[in-house]
Amino acid sequence: LRPATPGDAREVAEVLIRSRAEYLPFAPSAHPPDAVHAWVADRLVPTGVVIVAEQYGEIVGVVATSHLDGVSWIEQMYVRPGCVGRGVGTRLLEHAHRDLPRPIRLYTFQANAGARRFYERYGYRAIELTDGQSNEERCPDVLYELS
């Protein structure tokens, strides 16, 4: 694991794009790939709170975090398709747990059963279900918290 650098932006964006396409077909991205690449390069990576997991010289996972008004957030967490089940997500999440003060919150889609099982295994509990009207995809989501 290491902090993302500006030179990682393209590969970070590809992890997000490919993971969403593979694992979230029920909630297609609200933005085309070129917009995702621009957002990652211009906004996400420059925040300085993006950690990448690298294996054999390739980025295979990404976690982006923030802390605002006494609450820590996992803003983005994606593992490259083909790398799920190899401990990448666990390492990224454990890093976030060491780095962030609690409570830690995150959103995932209600239909994302795999992610929900993953977060619940690490002690997150659902504190709110929404109809999705406040997210860009308009897909029902769930707010999780780790106290």
Side-chain angles (χ1 to χ4, degrees):
L1 300 183
R2 63 174 177 78
T5 66
D8 294 325
R10 179 160 188 70
E11 207 171 350
V12 167
E14 284 300 313
V15 170
L16 273 61
I17 292 165
R18 291 179 186 169
S19 294
R20 285 192 62 108
E22 177 77 17
Y23 301 118
L24 306 175
F26 52 84
S29 178
H31 305 283
D34 60 335
V36 174
H37 279 276
W39 175 76
V40 169
D42 299 339
R43 303 214 35 204
L44 185 66
V45 170
T47 65
V49 290
V50 179
I51 300 297
V52 296
E54 198 173 43
Q55 290 180 342
Y56 306 111
E58 291 186 337
I59 293 174
V60 295
V62 176
V63 64
T65 61
S66 65
H67 187 80
L68 182 65
D69 297 329
V71 177
S72 297
W73 289 90
I74 294 178
E75 303 282 353
Q76 307 286 326
M77 189 163 138
Y78 289 95
V79 174
R80 181 186 296 271
C83 297
V84 171
R86 296 184 187 172
V88 175
T90 296
R91 289 194 337 259
L92 289 167
L93 191 62
E94 288 173 348
H95 173 82
H97 289 172
R98 285 190 304 273
D99 198 46
L100 296 170
R102 294 188 185 188
I104 303 171
R105 291 183 180 171
L106 61 88
Y107 280 98
T108 194
F109 295 112
Q110 289 182 34
N112 193 348
R116 293 184 71 178
R117 281 190 308 272
F118 176 78
Y119 292 121
E120 289 170 5
R121 188 169 51 236
Y122 289 94
Y124 285 82
R125 62 181 183 82
I127 60 171
E128 182 182 11
L129 298 174
T130 79
D131 62 6
Q133 293 308 302
S134 64
N135 65 51
E136 293 179 323
E137 296 84 359
R138 301 291 186 250
C139 187
D141 57 17
V142 55
L143 175 61
Y144 276 101
E145 182 175 85
L146 179 67
S147 300

